[in-house]
Amino acid sequence: MSGSRQRPYLKRPVWIIVLVNFVILFLIAAYLYPPATSAACFIFSPTDCTLLNQPPAPKIPTRELTDDETISQVVIKEILKTPPVESNNRKIAFLFLTPGQLPFEPLWAKFFQGHEGRFSVYVHASKEKPVHTSHYFMGRDIHSESVSWGKISMVDAERRLLAKALLDSDNQQFVLLSESCIPLQNFDYVYNYLMLTNVSFIDSFVDLGPHGSGRYSEHMMPEVEKDDFRKGSQWFSMKRQHAIIVMADSLYYTKFRYYCKPNMEGRNCYADEHYLPTFFNMIDPVGIAKRSVTYVDWSERKWHPKSFKAEDITLKFLKNLTTIDDIVHFTSDEKRMLTGPCLWNGIKRPCYLFARKFYPQTLERLMFYFSNYTTLSV
């Protein structure tokens, strides 16, 4: 342009432009999503900051509890906050659930030997009274009723064993075992593992597949919702407090008695796999380890777990079982596996104290290796 000077273009540094844009975005975000601290709230937020100093609003129940639920919650809460019975001779109650003979009595006798007074034995034989070979088992049979696989009678037998064992106030831990179970650790290890922790080892996990929540019946509503439904191994170890709660429960037990059974509405529901896992996940989820201390091999994904024969029993095999420290849950949900560490008082430790299913023919080899594979200490 003639007769005039063009004003030079002033370039701003790129970093200034970036900084300005960042500040603008930050202020917009602070306005739309007010920070949670009171100081930042007064600077950035247009809302009433005094709300931050108020306690959180109580959770509003989605529905009004039934009378039976209210009664149940009162009883359970009172039991949970009641201190355990003081005992100068704390014992583990070993509850054997068997149709008849106990082929591994000699192995259990070896496990119990030298620890008299620190354990008690109870035997529920559902078909025929066993002929005992060990004095630890003689005279320890309780009144028994018939048990059908997959039906509520299995849970009834568990409750019968717990009730009998609870009569002895020195029994503080209660371990459910079958005739095919064996000990994986020495007695001292088992005793300390169970007595020196404050949780029950009750298995409980979510299985979204047909053999998990697919077994749920809406007849369990409103007390048991589908989101509450859990699955788990029946082979538990529970503390006395929880055993008393099982005895006190009528509401949830009744739900599973009538609405979790084989061939119901086109589905097969097995109460022994769902009642306790669901019940304790609902009433005391932080009080259970959500895993069992009894090893079972479900890797073949069949109706029954793998059974071990005499030729399977080697020292290496047994040692491997005693050192497993990660839990694996096989679900029916697109064949997923749920895995996680086995924690004992917050420390990663071996998962299992016992194992099943072993054929009677394995006894000789198990007796031979017993002192070599049960060598860990807590």
Side-chain angles (χ1 to χ4, degrees):
M1 294 180 184
S2 58
S4 65
R5 291 183 63 186
Q6 186 176 7
R7 187 173 181 180
Y9 178 73
L10 298 178
K11 286 189 174 181
R12 294 180 178 86
V14 174
W15 69 270
I16 292 179
I17 297 172
V18 173
L19 178 62
V20 170
N21 288 334
F22 174 79
V23 171
I24 292 171
L25 291 172
F26 178 78
L27 292 172
I28 292 172
Y31 183 89
L32 295 174
Y33 306 102
T37 62
S38 57
C41 177
F42 282 105
I43 296 172
F44 296 114
S45 177
T47 58
D48 183 3
C49 296
T50 58
L51 294 176
L52 290 171
N53 298 320
Q54 303 299 317
K59 184 178 179 181
I60 301 174
T62 55
R63 62 177 177 81
E64 186 176 357
L65 297 181
T66 65
D67 289 345
D68 287 342
E69 284 178 292
T70 302
I71 294 168
S72 177
Q73 287 195 10
V74 169
V75 172
I76 290 169
K77 286 179 180 178
E78 286 298 315
I79 295 172
L80 286 175
K81 71 181 184 182
T82 301
V85 175
E86 291 294 329
S87 170
N88 295 323
N89 183 35
R90 303 175 74 205
K91 296 189 295 186
I92 300 174
F94 291 87
L95 316 177
F96 288 88
L97 181 56
T98 176
Q101 291 299 114
L102 291 168
F104 295 109
E105 276 191 33
L107 184 66
W108 285 104
K110 200 168 187 178
F111 171 79
F112 291 137
Q113 190 173 6
H115 303 284
E116 291 77 2
R118 302 171 71 194
F119 67 90
S120 50
V121 172
Y122 302 86
V123 179
H124 184 291
S126 60
K127 291 184 178 179
E128 59 181 22
K129 188 173 182 179
V131 178
H132 297 296
T133 59
S134 165
H135 69 278
Y136 294 118
F137 289 83
M138 293 176 182
R140 305 308 300 169
D141 300 283
I142 72 166
H143 169 73
S144 305
E145 298 286 347
S146 177
V147 172
S148 297
W149 180 80
K151 295 187 177 180
I152 196 68
S153 57
M154 186 75 77
V155 175
D156 292 338
E158 295 172 8
R159 288 161 62 98
R160 203 170 289 122
L161 281 162
L162 284 172
K164 191 69 174 180
L166 281 166
L167 292 174
D168 185 343
S169 60
D170 287 334
N171 287 332
Q172 299 295 307
Q173 293 285 340
F174 304 79
V175 179
L176 183 68
L177 301 159
S178 76
E179 77 284 356
S180 68
C181 285
I182 67 164
L184 284 181
Q185 312 288 359
N186 63 64
F187 184 90
D188 285 327
Y189 184 96
V190 170
Y191 188 88
N192 291 331
Y193 197 105
L194 298 180
M195 290 295 189
L196 300 181
T197 190
N198 196 37
V199 298
S200 291
F201 293 94
I202 298 172
D203 199 20
S204 179
F205 64 96
V206 177
D207 181 351
L208 299 178
H211 304 314
S213 56
R215 296 171 172 174
Y216 173 79
S217 170
E218 291 186 353
H219 292 296
M220 293 187 178
M221 294 280 283
E223 293 86 357
V224 181
E225 298 180 4
K226 191 170 185 178
D227 287 345
D228 297 321
F229 201 67
R230 294 293 186 272
K231 185 179 182 178
S233 166
Q234 76 179 103
W235 309 107
F236 60 73
S237 172
M238 68 173 67
K239 58 184 182 180
R240 187 177 183 89
Q241 208 174 30
H242 283 159
I244 294 172
I245 288 175
V246 173
M247 294 295 95
D249 175 50
S250 172
L251 173 63
Y252 298 97
Y253 165 80
T254 302
K255 289 287 180 178
F256 283 86
R257 166 176 279 278
Y258 291 113
Y259 305 120
C260 181
K261 50 189 176 182
N263 302 314
M264 180 179 176
E265 299 176 338
R267 60 171 69 90
N268 289 314
C269 186
Y270 306 117
D272 57 282
E273 293 184 3
H274 297 286
Y275 166 54
L276 291 181
T278 300
F279 178 52
F280 279 100
N281 182 68
M282 292 178 66
I283 61 106
D284 192 18
V286 299
I288 62 173
K290 298 183 180 178
R291 65 179 176 90
S292 173
V293 287
T294 299
Y295 174 82
V296 186
D297 185 351
W298 285 101
S299 61
E300 296 179 345
R301 295 181 180 274
K302 297 180 179 179
W303 283 106
H304 297 283
K306 181 178 180 179
S307 295
F308 300 107
K309 302 175 183 178
E311 54 265 33
D312 296 320
I313 309 305
T314 65
L315 183 57
K316 181 179 179 181
F317 166 73
L318 295 168
K319 280 284 191 181
N320 286 341
L321 294 186
T322 66
T323 55
I324 295 171
D325 56 7
D326 284 296
I327 192 74
V328 178
H329 286 124
F330 293 92
T331 76
S332 59
D333 177 22
E334 297 179 353
K335 296 189 175 181
R336 289 191 309 128
M337 288 193 307
L338 306 176
T339 61
C342 289
L343 300 179
W344 180 84
N345 291 345
I347 304 168
K348 191 173 185 180
R349 285 289 176 87
C351 302
Y352 302 113
L353 307 179
F354 317 101
R356 65 186 301 267
K357 302 173 63 170
F358 290 79
Y359 282 113
Q361 294 79 7
T362 60
L363 176 60
E364 185 177 349
R365 290 195 178 194
L366 290 169
M367 293 285 287
F368 178 76
Y369 290 123
F370 180 77
S371 59
N372 290 318
Y373 74 81
T374 56
T375 56
L376 295 178
S377 60
V378 176

